[in-house]
Amino acid sequence: MIKKLVLFLLIGLILGVGFSKTTIVFWHHEAPAHRVAAFQKVIKLFEKENPDIKVVQQVIPWGDAWPKTLAAIQSGTTPDFQFSIPELTITAYQAGALVPVDDIIKEIDEKYGYIKSQLAPYKFDDHYWGVPIWTMPMVLLYRPSYLEKYLGTKEPPKTWNELLLAAQKITLLSSKEGETIYGIGLTAGNNLCTQEQVYTIMSNIGVEVFDKDGNLTFNTPQTLRAVEFYKDLFKFSPPGATGWSWGEIEMNFTAGKIAMMPYFGGLQKRFYELKNFDLDGVLQPYPVDGKKANLIYPNDVHIYKSAVEKGHLEAVKKFILFMMRPDINAILTAEMEPGSFVPVTEAAQKSEHYWNNPIIKAFKHLNEVIIEATNYGTLYGFEHGYAANLAIGSISGANIIAEMIQKVVTGEMGVKEAVEWAEGRMKEFLK
């Protein structure tokens, strides 16, 4: 009898019969096939090292992220964890669905060294509620051949005045030759893309949506100056850009219709596949009385209370720590979306696994600039190293800054009137 029992147990060990696995489920919003494949590659590697845990990815398009997240919270059907951005994490937190992740942040920081600017958007009410996995810094992308042809130099502009003059000169000189190449690529659609570009300009002179105590401080001379500069610069952007978003600006830049633009570095993959290496970048130009700064969008993982209720928390923590290992994080950044998804720890940023990626190597200087930009990055509402007022989630979601710019560049409002309008709209979300 004992021999039969031992034999049964051995067979069970071999076949996995009678031994339960912990299955953890996560949502992400990266629908392109190559991103889904990168996630699955990471999952496969994790499961090989952790045969007692099964990981399931589920893709929820960004357009459905908010309603499906809130519906899942209300119905008690949340996944164990979700990839997110600050606004969505705040939404889930305000719905009372999250657990703090201070211990995970501490462990990752001790092992790999977080870039401190990446933690700011996830600290509120004295705790961290999201674990940054990768980040997205904006820099000034440019086509070196266009600068050389129309400006007589490969050196990109370093100040606001230089940027404005360069955009004007490229636009005017190229139009005289019969084919207009627009000096700058800016959007003015009522969307997040516009909001990101506008805030990159605003960050150069220290615009703050809230002060450190959470008071609204948007309507300031600095904001007026930034909006005025965006308006002037927009004159040398393609005329249809008043309604553009990511797709249109990326298509036109890749097609050679735009010489420069503040943007994420993810176009590298497209240029690489086209065997076009006429692409580089520099830190966002700033005024002589301004500072090095740029928008940065850390993407996080937040953990739902349901993971605790199901007894899955330790398995989730194990997977998160696995993703932050430099060799694995390189898959989620350099392999998944080179130049757009960037490591958030010092160890991962210096890792040979990251820098040996063929696309990262092909645009080495640009990627060095992007990595440097993570040190200067900030995000609207988180300028003080934490969320000074949680209303920023709703304010951002309403695209108020983008709508303000659209009103200015279309002539519907003057700069002063538009900034006053924007602050008025923001006040509607304050509690």
Side-chain angles (χ1 to χ4, degrees):
M1 184 68 180
I2 294 175
K3 288 182 178 180
K4 287 183 178 180
L5 179 60
V6 170
L7 181 61
F8 175 78
L9 290 171
L10 286 172
I11 292 172
L13 284 170
I14 294 169
L15 299 179
V17 177
F19 294 91
S20 61
K21 285 187 176 184
T22 299
T23 299
I24 58 176
V25 178
F26 72 90
W27 286 1
H28 70 82
H29 316 287
E30 310 303 337
H34 66 280
R35 297 184 185 180
V36 174
F39 270 118
Q40 198 58 42
K41 182 175 179 179
V42 170
I43 289 170
K44 188 174 181 180
L45 291 169
F46 176 78
E47 290 178 341
K48 185 177 180 180
E49 294 186 20
N50 300 272
D52 58 326
I53 302 174
K54 179 178 176 59
V55 183
V56 178
Q57 63 166 315
Q58 295 180 350
V59 183
I60 307 295
W62 272 115
D64 297 328
W66 267 260
K68 289 202 172 184
T69 293
L70 290 172
I73 291 170
Q74 291 166 4
S75 62
T77 57
T78 52
D80 292 293
F81 61 102
Q82 178 171 213
F83 282 77
S84 183
I85 56 176
E87 297 96 314
L88 183 56
T89 295
I90 288 175
T91 298
Y93 167 75
Q94 290 179 318
L98 304 186
V99 296
V101 292
D102 305 73
D103 57 333
I104 304 176
I105 294 287
K106 182 180 179 182
E107 187 168 349
I108 293 170
D109 194 28
E110 289 175 349
K111 280 186 177 180
Y112 306 122
Y114 261 119
I115 306 301
K116 302 309 178 189
S117 61
Q118 308 312 299
L119 296 172
Y122 298 105
K123 187 175 185 181
F124 34 93
D125 290 347
D126 298 321
H127 290 287
Y128 288 106
W129 299 92
V131 181
I133 303 293
W134 66 70
T135 193
M136 302 174 67
M138 266 200 177
V139 298
L140 184 73
L141 297 183
Y142 65 93
R143 304 289 293 269
S145 67
Y146 292 179
L147 269 60
E148 187 173 22
K149 181 176 181 180
Y150 296 109
L151 304 179
T153 178
K154 288 185 178 180
E155 286 296 314
K158 292 182 175 62
T159 67
W160 274 11
N161 284 343
E162 290 177 3
L163 180 61
L164 184 62
L165 290 172
Q168 179 185 44
K169 192 171 183 180
I170 291 170
T171 305
L172 295 177
L173 289 179
S174 64
S175 64
K176 287 182 179 179
E177 295 186 2
E179 183 179 6
T180 301
I181 295 169
Y182 293 93
I184 195 74
L186 297 178
T187 59
N190 187 359
N191 52 56
L192 182 57
C193 179
T194 298
Q195 196 151 276
E196 291 167 341
Q197 287 190 311
V198 175
Y199 187 74
T200 283
I201 299 294
M202 289 181 171
S203 70
N204 300 152
I205 51 173
V207 171
E208 297 175 356
V209 178
F210 298 104
D211 66 18
K212 61 183 178 62
D213 297 318
N215 301 304
L216 187 62
T217 55
F218 185 71
N219 186 2
T220 63
Q222 289 87 352
T223 302
L224 293 169
R225 186 175 164 196
V227 174
E228 189 72 49
F229 179 71
Y230 198 95
K231 175 187 175 183
D232 291 343
L233 197 57
F234 192 85
K235 295 172 185 176
F236 308 107
S237 196
T242 50
W244 280 8
S245 187
W246 294 283
E248 294 88 351
I249 199 166
E250 288 183 10
M251 179 180 66
N252 280 273
F253 187 85
T254 305
K257 301 295 184 183
I258 296 169
M260 303 178 288
M261 64 177 183
Y263 208 69
F264 303 116
L267 289 175
Q268 293 174 54
K269 188 174 188 294
R270 195 174 303 178
F271 273 68
Y272 184 83
E273 290 170 349
L274 292 170
K275 294 181 171 56
N276 182 349
F277 301 98
D278 187 31
L279 176 67
D280 209 339
V282 69
L283 291 178
Q284 173 64 27
Y286 54 94
V288 291
D289 58 341
K291 62 180 182 178
K292 291 181 181 179
N294 52 272
L295 174 132
I296 199 160
Y297 239 102
N299 286 225
D300 73 309
V301 160
H302 57 240
I303 303 174
Y304 287 101
K305 290 179 178 177
S306 57
V308 178
E309 294 162 1
K310 295 173 186 175
H312 293 176
L313 184 58
E314 289 308 312
V316 170
K317 286 183 178 180
K318 189 175 286 189
F319 185 65
I320 292 173
L321 291 169
F322 180 80
M323 287 192 292
M324 296 309 291
R325 211 169 74 188
D327 59 322
I328 302 301
N329 201 248
I331 299 171
L332 293 171
T333 54
E335 188 171 324
M336 185 185 284
E337 208 58 66
S340 264
F341 296 172
V342 179
V344 289
T345 67
E346 294 176 10
Q349 287 187 355
K350 296 174 182 176
S351 170
E352 62 180 355
H353 300 283
Y354 183 79
W355 290 102
N356 284 340
N357 177 276
I359 298 178
I360 297 295
K361 286 172 71 174
F363 299 98
K364 183 181 178 184
H365 178 261
L366 171 56
N367 286 298
E368 288 172 341
V369 169
I370 290 170
I371 290 292
E372 184 182 0
T374 63
N375 295 299
Y376 303 109
T378 185
L379 186 62
Y380 36 80
F382 304 93
E383 296 92 350
H384 307 288
Y386 54 90
N389 191 315
L390 292 184
I392 191 61
S394 300
I395 288 170
S396 175
N399 289 328
I400 294 170
I401 293 174
E403 189 174 353
M404 172 194 70
I405 283 294
Q406 189 175 62
K407 291 179 182 297
V408 170
V409 301
T410 59
E412 180 182 340
M413 289 184 180
V415 171
K416 188 173 185 295
E417 182 186 5
V419 172
E420 289 174 351
W421 170 87
E423 184 165 87
R425 283 281 288 121
M426 291 177 184
K427 287 179 180 177
E428 295 175 15
F429 294 96
L430 301 181
K431 293 181 180 180

